[in-house]
Amino acid sequence: MNGVPRFYEELASWWPLLSAPDEYEEEAEFFTALLLGHGDHPAETLLELGSGGGNTASFLKRRFRMTLVEPSAGMLEVSRALNPECTHVQGDMRSVRLARQFDRVFVHDAIVYMTSEQDLRAAIETVWLHCRPGGAAVLAPDYVKETFRTGTDCGGRDAGERGLRFLEWVTDPDPDDATYLVDYAFLLREGERVRVEHDRHVEGLFPRDVWLRLLRETGFEPHVTPLVHSEVEPGAHEVFVAVKPAR
């Protein structure tokens, strides 16, 4: 990965004002249905790689016993406060090895920090090693090459003496490479004091066929399904579901 974005370390305590858990419930219900609807049973244990601040896990944990892996110490601290009943492990999805397997494995948008095909393959191999035979995995990148769009977003919220507002700007300066950029401008308020911070995220962008090929080469039986959400245009985002054949 191209360094840890500032918002995941030095600015991590602001995360709940950027991305609140209650915004994730509908999406988590969709992922829960996918995880339960693929692979055999039981479906009781779930590994999430790149779990961030734990927002999605705060809903998935209602159905699964969860282990959360995240490279950023700052985000782990946020997640532990939100999900104290979950097991937390500091680790990189390309290389972490937990010496156990799970009924299901989930990788949300943290997979976009795989910015080369080599990195993406390494992350998929980690998913494979931790998924038990007969189990299944769900990988949910923000975009594949075919669905990518530039654009902007904004938002934020207040909590007591603190407040945050952000502008997000998605661009692709070089459409021929395997990455795009997401720049954030943050206004951070503490009492009457407001400061401005900038954070750049370099994210991976691969064609659908590359995802499917890497999943198949690892041993999975994969397919693509559209993300279904009331605030998402149909067909705008895709999710990869991968079943690990039983022995």
Side-chain angles (χ1 to χ4, degrees), residues 2 109 111-115 140-145 147-151 168-175 177-184 200-206 237:
N2 293 272
D109 51 3
I111 194 72
V112 301
Y113 294 106
M114 304 300 104
T115 56
D142 284 338
Y143 302 103
V144 294
K145 192 84 169 180
T147 64
F148 177 78
R149 298 180 182 180
T150 61
E168 176 190 80
W169 188 11
V170 180
T171 61
D172 189 7
D174 184 358
D177 70 8
T179 63
Y180 63 99
L181 302 179
V182 184
D183 283 284
Y184 291 92
R200 168 164 285 186
H201 298 227
V202 181
E203 304 187 357
L205 186 62
F206 304 95
H237 297 279

Side-chain angles (χ1 to χ4, degrees), residues 129-206:
L129 289 171
H130 291 88
C131 183
R132 68 164 176 79
V138 171
L139 300 88
D142 284 338
Y143 302 103
V144 294
K145 192 84 169 180
E146 292 84 353
T147 64
F148 177 78
R149 298 180 182 180
T150 61
T152 60
D153 192 12
C154 60
R157 61 180 62 199
D158 301 302
E161 290 294 301
R162 286 182 132 200
L164 176 148
R165 297 296 182 270
F166 73 89
L167 172 66
E168 176 190 80
W169 188 11
V170 180
T171 61
D172 189 7
D174 184 358
D176 294 325
D177 70 8
T179 63
Y180 63 99
L181 302 179
V182 184
D183 283 284
Y184 291 92
F186 297 112
L187 287 171
L188 306 177
R189 177 184 60 81
E190 295 180 275
E192 296 183 358
R193 177 175 175 267
V194 176
R195 73 183 195 267
V196 180
E197 301 287 354
H198 169 248
D199 197 15
R200 168 164 285 186
H201 298 227
V202 181
E203 304 187 357
L205 186 62
F206 304 95

Side-chain angles (χ1 to χ4, degrees), residues 14-40:
W14 294 89
W15 176 257
L17 298 181
L18 171 70
S19 184
D22 58 15
E23 298 172 356
Y24 287 70
E25 184 170 13
E26 181 181 354
E27 189 178 47
E29 289 176 355
F30 170 78
F31 289 132
T32 297
L34 279 185
L35 290 162
L36 294 176
H38 295 84
D40 62 17

Side-chain angles (χ1 to χ4, degrees), residues 7-247:
F7 213 82
Y8 299 155
E9 287 291 2
E10 64 190 272
L11 301 175
S13 66
W14 294 89
W15 176 257
L17 298 181
L18 171 70
S19 184
D22 58 15
E23 298 172 356
Y24 287 70
E25 184 170 13
E26 181 181 354
E27 189 178 47
E29 289 176 355
F30 170 78
F31 289 132
T32 297
L34 279 185
L35 290 162
L36 294 176
H38 295 84
D40 62 17
H41 286 263
E44 298 174 355
T45 59
L46 174 62
L47 170 66
E48 182 176 359
L49 297 170
S51 53
N55 287 346
T56 307
S58 69
F59 296 100
L60 294 176
K61 69 184 181 184
R62 298 174 178 176
R63 179 56 183 79
F64 302 99
R65 297 196 309 275
M66 295 194 67
T67 296
L68 309 181
V69 173
E70 164 61 34
S72 162
M75 297 303 279
L76 282 172
E77 183 177 352
V78 173
S79 182
R80 287 190 180 104
L82 181 62
N83 303 301
E85 64 273 71
C86 297
T87 299
H88 289 79
V89 178
Q90 187 170 13
D92 187 312
M93 71 174 71
R94 296 168 298 181
S95 57
V96 69
R97 298 292 183 264
L98 302 181
R100 62 168 294 196
Q101 294 184 320
F102 298 79
D103 298 321
R104 302 291 187 267
V105 181
F106 176 58
V107 194
H108 199 195
D109 51 3
I111 194 72
V112 301
Y113 294 106
M114 304 300 104
T115 56
S116 69
E117 189 172 319
Q118 180 181 1
D119 282 347
L120 185 58
R121 182 187 295 275
I124 290 172
E125 289 175 350
T126 299
V127 174
W128 170 266
L129 289 171
H130 291 88
C131 183
R132 68 164 176 79
V138 171
L139 300 88
D142 284 338
Y143 302 103
V144 294
K145 192 84 169 180
E146 292 84 353
T147 64
F148 177 78
R149 298 180 182 180
T150 61
T152 60
D153 192 12
C154 60
R157 61 180 62 199
D158 301 302
E161 290 294 301
R162 286 182 132 200
L164 176 148
R165 297 296 182 270
F166 73 89
L167 172 66
E168 176 190 80
W169 188 11
V170 180
T171 61
D172 189 7
D174 184 358
D176 294 325
D177 70 8
T179 63
Y180 63 99
L181 302 179
V182 184
D183 283 284
Y184 291 92
F186 297 112
L187 287 171
L188 306 177
R189 177 184 60 81
E190 295 180 275
E192 296 183 358
R193 177 175 175 267
V194 176
R195 73 183 195 267
V196 180
E197 301 287 354
H198 169 248
D199 197 15
R200 168 164 285 186
H201 298 227
V202 181
E203 304 187 357
L205 186 62
F206 304 95
R208 183 183 303 114
D209 286 348
V210 169
W211 282 89
L212 292 172
R213 173 174 57 80
L214 293 177
L215 287 164
R216 290 192 186 103
E217 288 177 356
T218 306
F220 283 113
E221 297 171 354
H223 72 271
V224 183
T225 188
L227 174 65
V228 179
H229 191 286
S230 63
E231 298 181 1
V232 173
E233 179 183 344
H237 297 279
E238 298 179 351
V239 175
F240 294 91
V241 180
V243 175
K244 184 171 183 176
R247 292 193 180 95

